Amino acid sequence: MTDLRTPPTFDTDVFHERVREYADERPFERLRVLDAGCGRSAPLDLHPAECHVTGVDVDLAEVQAGVRARRDLDAWHLGDLRTVPMPPRVYDIVHASYLIERIPHAELVLDRFVAALRPGGLMLVRFRDRDSAFGRLDRIAPRWLRSILWQRGVPPRPVYERVASLAGMRAYCLMRGLVVVEEHTSAGRVTRSGTVVRMLCRAVAVLSRNRATSAYSEAAMVIRKPENRYARII
């Protein structure tokens, strides 16, 4: 079981630290990594671990361009994430960065990720939280307001199913018998968007009586699939 020795912070990329620690315990193995959402996210920092990286994402024109620009992928598959190839119990690491909030049937897709993980493997998930003030604005705002939120390159409107939140992911992990090892929050998206967006998020928080928080806009979670064969795992 991975010993989480390095003090984590969201901004210094806790995921890299966890991959390095996982690899340190398996010095003679080449780790198999599934990078989900590989067409729109930055590569996971895997150095110095020896890894075979497979990318998966939805089959859209802009995603295809992002995948072809990646030089770290050993293989990739595009299509419906409910059906693209993901063999069971193969991967040591599943990395899903800013994917869960933008796809439908997110729990079914997460189930496939968990099934593809080896027992003891790690799922590293980063997402914009639908329960944050930014997430609420991003869900309901008209296009002109979303252009203010995103500044440049307004992405398609995300789906933001219930699991795309800290509370939703905790509930999902509890029901699947998964272990939430760490969770971190950040207001990075709001900070990068400027003063107007910070004011809008604070206004939403006040109007919602803080049910939509302005304290953070995104979350990162390190989740482990148990090794115990008696645990409730997929």
Side-chain angles (χ1 to χ4, degrees):
M1 185 171 289
T2 304
D3 174 23
L4 303 178
R5 298 179 292 272
T6 307
T9 66
F10 191 100
D11 296 327
T12 57
D13 199 351
V14 65
F15 290 170
H16 171 244
E17 297 297 333
R18 298 305 161 245
V19 171
R20 181 181 58 78
E21 291 168 2
Y22 187 95
D24 285 347
E25 295 179 355
R26 298 157 180 82
F28 305 111
E29 294 183 26
R30 188 184 190 196
L31 301 187
R32 295 184 66 89
V33 178
L34 180 67
D35 194 347
C38 61
R40 284 180 173 156
S41 65
L44 181 63
D45 184 357
L46 299 169
H47 181 77
E50 191 71 26
C51 299
H52 180 283
V53 183
T54 300
V56 293
D57 209 334
V58 294
D59 191 5
L60 299 173
E62 61 270 25
V63 170
Q64 291 175 15
V67 171
R68 291 194 176 98
R70 296 273 297 263
R71 294 292 176 264
D72 62 314
L73 299 178
D74 298 290
W76 50 271
H77 307 282
L78 299 182
D80 188 328
L81 291 176
R82 293 171 295 173
T83 58
V84 293
M86 291 185 208
R89 299 194 174 199
V90 164
Y91 298 101
D92 299 280
I93 307 289
V94 172
H95 173 235
S97 186
Y98 302 119
L99 171 72
I100 299 305
E101 69 270 32
R102 64 179 171 90
I103 58 172
H105 315 292
E107 286 200 14
L108 292 177
V109 175
L110 283 168
D111 285 346
R112 296 201 71 211
F113 294 164
V114 176
L117 266 180
R118 293 170 57 182
L122 299 178
M123 184 161 64
L124 311 176
V125 185
R126 183 178 277 127
F127 54 89
R128 294 182 183 91
D129 194 319
R130 63 168 273 147
D131 291 340
S132 67
F134 182 91
R136 181 166 294 190
L137 283 170
D138 197 29
R139 277 190 285 151
I140 66 174
R143 183 174 176 81
W144 66 266
L145 182 53
R146 292 189 75 233
S147 68
I148 296 174
L149 295 178
W150 288 97
Q151 300 287 305
R152 42 184 119 132
V154 182
R157 189 178 298 278
V159 180
Y160 280 115
E161 291 184 354
R162 183 60 193 163
V163 74
S165 65
L166 273 176
M169 280 298 297
R170 289 170 187 152
Y172 172 83
C173 292
L174 179 64
M175 293 299 294
R176 301 309 194 273
L178 304 171
V179 179
V180 178
V181 179
E182 299 176 64
E183 56 184 50
H184 308 278
T185 58
S186 169
R189 178 71 257 173
V190 175
T191 301
R192 290 190 296 273
S193 298
T195 303
V196 173
V197 174
R198 287 197 295 272
M199 292 174 64
L200 285 170
C201 288
R202 282 197 289 267
V204 169
V206 170
L207 291 172
S208 69
R209 298 183 181 179
N210 215 39
R211 287 191 294 272
T213 180
S214 61
Y216 65 89
S217 55
E218 53 218 77
M221 301 179 76
V222 178
I223 300 164
R224 181 185 291 118
K225 182 174 181 176
E227 294 183 81
N228 189 329
R229 64 193 178 96
Y230 295 109
R232 284 184 61 204
I233 60 175
I234 295 174

